[in-house]
């Protein structure tokens, strides 16, 4: 990469990261724990923290490490919220920080939360993790978000502690979620499944939910050595999903919030996560090089959604399980931490491919 482009990329990454820390949203919060401010401990903040951690891992800048440890130290002093699928998300970065700093306090908290995920977190049929969140038990429901929000943390902790039971549980969760959420017609994932009513709710092929698998799987495979048979199944699901995504990408390079409905709005956070996951999958050899062109097209489309201040536009607010497809079309659009953070991940992956901000 040319030195001048490297400086431009670094400047863009810094702008996006700075806005992540100070986001304000015009949308009235409906979640029990606010999902916009980085002062809170919830899943959007967790995704943002992991993006910053990966940028730290790439650059080894001490200030980034300090910002992360300061955030967690402050949260631990304040006291953590009740454990559930979504509040588990920041723990992935905390276990990575333990690996980096060897802070025993971090390890104690990670052990406690991992044991809860393993033995106490509510389960559905086939022992799938029930998608319990702040303010809602969601009995009998599994959602495609869960793999990213909880299972990645359990995996990383299992590897770090040499706890094979955690790793085997992560395998089971990936496989059972694929079993019940895969749309066999397209290879995409439905947003959710209910074991109590035996259906896929609105049968929504929701973009951001699908992108959690695309982005999460490439990080999952980087964390853990899997049996070849299991790895083949997971990568097969990724390639089927990627085949469908190429057919549904719009002319600008974006994906719509309902992937198979071009009348629903194009959504930036999902497009960024798809770009990140597909680019990394190509680099790692998980997908053929033929997928790179569409990935780069998405990468450039997302760049056009970053304003001069570094705020990522075109991001949908937090999305619960919809009983109708119209509910997804009606989700408001506003700046969100996961929009900033998925773009951060995408930009950092772009460095690995020597992509330039200006073609």
């Amino acid at each position: 990469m040319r030195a001048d482009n490297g400086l431009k990329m670094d400047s863009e990454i810094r702008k996006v990261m700075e806005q992540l820390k100070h986001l304000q949203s015009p949308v009235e919060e409906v979640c029990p724990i606010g999902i916009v401010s980085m002062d809170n401990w919830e899943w959007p903040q967790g995704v943002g923290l992991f993006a910053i951690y990966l940028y730290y891992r790439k650059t080894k800048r001490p200030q980034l490490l300090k910002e992360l440890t300061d955030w967690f130290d402050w949260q631990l002093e304040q006291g953590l919220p009740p454990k559930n699928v979504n509040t588990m998300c920041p723990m992935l970065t905390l276990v990575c920080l333990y690996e980096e700093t060897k802070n025993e306090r971090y390890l104690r908290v990670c052990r406690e939360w991992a044991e809860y995920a393993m033995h106490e977190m509510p389960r559905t049929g086939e022992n799938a993790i029930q998608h319990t969140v702040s303010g809602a038990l969601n009995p009998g429901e599994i959602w495609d978000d869960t793999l990213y929000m909880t299972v990645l943390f359990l995996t990383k902790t299992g590897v770090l502690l040499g706890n094979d039971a955690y790793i085997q549980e992560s395998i089971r969760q990936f496989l059972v979620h694929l079993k019940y959420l895969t749309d066999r017609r397209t290879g995409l994932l439905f947003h959710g499944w209910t074991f109590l009513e035996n259906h896929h709710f609105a049968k929504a092929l929701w973009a951001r939910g699908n992108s959690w698998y695309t982005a999460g799987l490439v990080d999952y495979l980087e964390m853990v050595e899997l049996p070849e048979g299991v790895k083949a199944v997971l990568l097969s699901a990724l390639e089927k999903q990627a085949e469908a995504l190429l057919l549904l990408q719009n002319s600008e390079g974006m994906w719509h919030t309902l992937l198979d409905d071009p009348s629903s709005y194009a959504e930036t956070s999902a497009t960024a996560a798809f770009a990140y996951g597909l680019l990394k999958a190509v680099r790692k050899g998980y997908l053929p090089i033929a997928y790179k062109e569409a990935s780069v097209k998405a990468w450039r489309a997302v760049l056009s959604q970053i304003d001069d201040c570094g705020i990522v536009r075109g991001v949908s607010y937090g999305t619960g399980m919809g009983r109708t497809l119209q509910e997804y079309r009606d989700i408001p659009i506003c700046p969100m931490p996961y929009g900033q953070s998925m773009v951060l991940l995408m930009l950092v992956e772009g460095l690995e491919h020597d992509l330039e901000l200006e073609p």
Side-chain angles (χ1 to χ4, degrees), residues 210-276:
N210 270 267
S211 74
W212 293 130
Y213 184 75
T214 318
L217 180 64
V218 292
D219 291 335
Y220 180 58
L221 294 176
E222 197 170 49
M223 290 176 191
V224 63
E225 288 291 329
L226 297 174
E228 283 303 313
V230 172
K231 184 176 179 180
V233 169
L234 299 179
L235 287 177
S236 173
L238 176 66
E239 186 156 12
K240 289 295 293 181
Q241 184 198 51
E243 288 173 4
L245 289 174
L246 261 59
L247 297 174
L248 296 170
Q249 189 176 28
N250 72 18
S251 59
E252 287 76 35
M254 301 282 285
W255 281 278
H256 294 267
T257 199
L258 291 172
L259 288 168
D260 57 345
D261 178 10
S263 73
S264 66
Y265 55 78
E267 207 281 329
T268 306
S269 69
T271 300
F274 285 137
Y276 167 73

Side-chain angles (χ1 to χ4, degrees), residues 137-179:
L137 290 175
N138 299 323
E141 297 181 17
I142 61 172
W143 298 16
D144 49 13
D145 319 34
T146 300
L147 297 174
Y148 197 100
M149 304 308 162
T150 289
V151 178
L152 292 186
F153 159 65
L154 189 63
T155 305
K156 179 68 177 178
T157 306
V159 171
L160 190 64
L161 299 180
N163 189 326
D164 187 60
Y166 290 0
I167 295 168
Q168 295 305 316
E169 180 66 6
S170 77
I171 292 172
R172 174 167 64 173
Q173 294 303 324
F174 263 89
L175 294 181
V176 77
H177 277 73
L178 284 179
K179 176 179 177 180

Side-chain angles (χ1 to χ4, degrees), residues 281-300:
V282 169
R283 177 168 63 85
K284 291 285 190 177
Y286 303 148
L287 287 176
I289 191 68
Y291 287 93
K292 186 168 183 177
E293 181 179 352
S295 308
V296 173
K297 186 177 181 180
W299 194 86
R300 299 209 177 283

